[in-house]
Amino acid sequence: MAQYQTIIQVIGALLVVLGGTMLLPALTDLQNGAPEWRVFVLSSAVTAGTGLLLVLSTRTTERSTLRLKQAFLLTAAVWTVIPAFGAIPFLGLGISYADAFFESASGFTTTGSTVLVGLDELPRGILLWRSVLQWIGGVGIIVLAMIIMPFLGVGGMQLFRAESSDRSEKVLARSSDLVAWIAAVYGVLTLLCTLAYAAAGMTFFDALAHAMTTLSTGGYSTHDASFGHFQSEALEWIAVVFMICGGLPLVLFIAAIRGEPGRIGRDPQTRWFLIFLAAVSFLAAVWLSLRTGIAFDDAMRLVAFNAVSVVTTTGYASVDYTLWGPFAVGLFFMLTFVGGCTGSTAGGIKIYRFVILFQVIKRQFRMLASPSRLEAMKYAGARIPEDVPPSVLAFLTLYVATTAAVTLILVLLGLDFVTAISSAATAISNVGPGLGEIVGPAGNFSTLPDMAKSVLAVAMILGRLELFTVLILLDPGYWRW
């Protein structure tokens, strides 16, 4: 039991913080005269009370160190337990717990898929809670855990290793400094985005809510029509800028602030990320302009906004791009898998892995032409460690296999193939909208069977934690502490 004590204690502390956070939407509803504030107060009491009970029941005077195996279990547990309690306020809307958990999991994993309709008529408290969920989920849960653990007598940089299989460049030696810088950069970018949205015409509430879901690349909106509600070119371009910021490695912002702005340009994945977005947006805009006859600048704005939204896994929509024709449907489906940069708040496969995959393919071609030729693969001028290419290929294989498995399960549950495969892809990639009339940019997930929603909620968590973090728990050897 001792090996689980630290895990229970950290989860309890996070629940206490989560319960306290629920008072923010409660105050919002109270200020606006909405009776739903009582739901948040009750949810806060249940969540914080449970967390406090867990902390007190595992209290110890001994300092413990979080081992890597414990970190994997803690990470998986946090991303399951926190959404489970984050779902409680949604029950005040009269929806089932399956719907509430789906909405909460979609928020914490920054997926952005929703089962709620009539967002324009909902109380501000629940709208704010959805945005807070995504903002916390962006980088907040692990950062929050790193802040809390010293007070509990627990240390562990392992959480950063366990949350994903990314290999972000470390710019600070001490984990406490890294946590502080990440939190500061994330907060400042959110503030700047809020001010920019407000200056371009959003109300302050809409600006704050959308800023939190933009930087977290989550995509929850306060309106059923998503970003299409605002009909503002300026707001769309502002969103493009900050969605890209959310898709870039946060450590590069830290490096730039600390006097090394050149590292942004020297990072291969950052260059390819920006080049890819520019190329896709330009070429698709040319195609859309020629096909529909709309002005190129309008086509560029429409394509850039929606393409950046899908690639960064934000999931906003300004129009129903599936109405542009089969080419657009195919293009946006492929963009669903791409993702942002490693070390960002974005989901998906990530540009870093595509860069490594290209190196592997290039070397294979050259070895076929010259079997005796030895050539080292490099990334950012440095030799790629031998264990990286196999891990990338293993991840890609598992990614495809998991998407196929979830698709098959959804088809068995009665979904049509387009809805099933796009729902599976958007859940594992944490994008948000799928394809088709049901789960497309103009629809939502409310009409899916409860079992399908539960499967997709699990898929969201799997995708957010980069698959291996959760699936390693299925290995019997893992449990031999």
Side-chain angles (χ1 to χ4, degrees):
M1 183 62 186
Q3 63 266 37
Y4 302 110
Q5 186 171 335
T6 300
I7 296 172
I8 296 172
Q9 195 175 24
V10 173
I11 291 176
L14 288 173
L15 287 177
V16 172
V17 175
L18 182 68
T21 306
M22 290 177 180
L23 296 177
L24 295 176
L27 291 173
T28 301
D29 276 344
L30 186 61
Q31 183 181 12
N32 287 276
E36 285 77 9
W37 66 269
R38 297 183 181 89
V39 175
F40 282 104
V41 171
L42 179 60
S43 302
S44 174
V46 171
T47 303
T50 302
L52 187 61
L53 182 63
L54 292 177
V55 171
L56 294 178
S57 64
T58 55
R59 190 175 181 181
T60 178
T61 57
E62 297 180 4
R63 179 175 177 82
S64 58
T65 300
L66 193 69
R67 295 186 299 168
L68 183 58
K69 279 192 173 184
Q70 289 174 299
F72 281 120
L73 181 58
L74 173 59
T75 304
V78 164
W79 284 88
T80 304
V81 174
I82 298 299
F85 280 86
I88 296 176
F90 292 112
L91 297 177
L93 298 175
I95 62 177
S96 67
Y97 186 78
D99 281 351
F101 183 75
F102 179 95
E103 195 75 13
S104 179
S106 180
F108 273 113
T109 59
T110 70
T111 302
S113 303
T114 184
V115 296
L116 300 183
V117 294
L119 296 177
D120 301 81
E121 308 301 324
L122 291 180
R124 284 191 168 186
I126 201 70
L127 296 176
L128 179 62
W129 182 236
R130 296 169 81 242
S131 296
V132 169
L133 289 180
Q134 293 202 325
W135 194 77
I136 293 175
V139 292
I141 288 182
I142 298 302
V143 167
L144 194 59
M146 292 296 295
I147 293 173
I148 288 173
M149 281 196 287
F151 295 99
L152 300 177
V154 179
M157 185 67 182
Q158 292 92 333
L159 268 185
F160 283 105
R161 294 177 57 189
E163 187 185 14
S164 74
S165 53
D166 287 341
R167 293 173 178 250
S168 303
E169 189 172 358
K170 194 173 180 181
V171 295
L172 296 166
R174 296 175 56 189
S175 61
S176 58
D177 291 339
L178 181 61
V179 166
W181 273 97
I182 288 176
V185 168
Y186 193 54
V188 169
L189 287 173
T190 304
L191 175 61
L192 292 176
C193 187
T194 301
L195 296 176
Y197 281 154
M202 281 190 186
T203 64
F204 180 77
F205 177 79
D206 275 348
L208 176 61
H210 284 84
M212 286 192 286
T213 60
T214 299
L215 266 303
S216 64
T217 60
Y220 270 160
S221 177
T222 55
H223 303 281
D224 284 319
S226 189
F227 238 81
H229 169 85
F230 300 104
Q231 296 296 305
S232 169
E233 296 181 13
L235 286 173
E236 289 177 19
W237 282 117
I238 291 171
V240 167
V241 171
F242 283 99
M243 283 190 290
I244 291 175
C245 289
L248 292 174
L250 289 174
V251 293
L252 292 186
F253 288 100
I254 298 173
I257 295 172
R258 290 169 60 86
E260 298 182 78
R263 287 181 61 171
I264 296 178
R266 294 195 302 269
D267 183 38
Q269 67 163 338
T270 300
R271 290 200 308 269
W272 282 111
F273 175 63
L274 297 176
I275 291 171
F276 178 77
L277 288 177
V280 167
S281 298
F282 177 79
L283 294 175
V286 171
W287 169 83
L288 182 62
S289 180
L290 293 175
R291 183 180 185 274
T292 63
I294 66 175
F296 176 76
D297 56 339
D298 288 333
M300 187 66 187
R301 171 178 52 82
L302 290 171
V303 171
F305 178 89
N306 291 283
V308 169
S309 178
V310 172
V311 171
T312 61
T313 71
T314 304
Y316 287 140
S318 61
V319 295
D320 185 356
Y321 44 77
T322 61
L323 299 178
W324 293 347
F327 173 76
V329 172
L331 174 65
F332 279 95
F333 179 71
M334 289 188 293
L335 294 181
T336 298
F337 295 95
V338 177
C341 297
T342 181
S344 71
T345 64
I349 292 175
K350 306 280 177 57
I351 296 295
Y352 169 80
R353 293 190 177 96
F354 286 107
V355 174
I356 299 299
L357 179 62
F358 175 75
Q359 293 277 9
V360 172
I361 294 173
K362 184 174 70 173
R363 185 173 72 169
Q364 188 65 23
F365 279 148
R366 291 182 176 177
M367 287 181 64
L368 289 174
S370 304
S372 60
R373 179 174 179 173
L374 296 177
E375 183 176 338
M377 293 183 291
K378 293 186 177 181
Y379 180 87
R383 183 168 181 166
I384 298 174
E386 291 297 323
D387 64 321
V388 171
S391 69
V392 169
L393 294 176
F395 176 84
L396 293 172
T397 302
L398 187 59
Y399 204 93
V400 173
T402 305
T403 303
V406 173
T407 299
L408 182 60
I409 293 172
L410 294 176
V411 169
L412 290 174
L413 291 173
L415 276 63
D416 65 89
F417 181 73
V418 172
T419 301
I421 191 171
S422 64
S423 295
T426 195
I428 294 172
S429 297
N430 303 130
V431 173
L435 299 175
E437 296 181 359
I438 301 175
V439 299
N444 64 30
F445 292 71
S446 60
T447 60
L448 299 186
D450 283 352
M451 183 58 70
K453 295 170 188 172
S454 299
V455 170
L456 289 173
V458 173
M460 293 175 198
I461 296 172
L462 280 172
R464 185 62 179 171
L465 297 181
E466 306 269 311
L467 301 176
F468 284 108
T469 304
V470 179
L471 296 180
I472 192 177
L473 302 180
L474 301 179
D475 178 15
Y478 167 85
W479 297 100
R480 301 189 187 100
W481 293 88

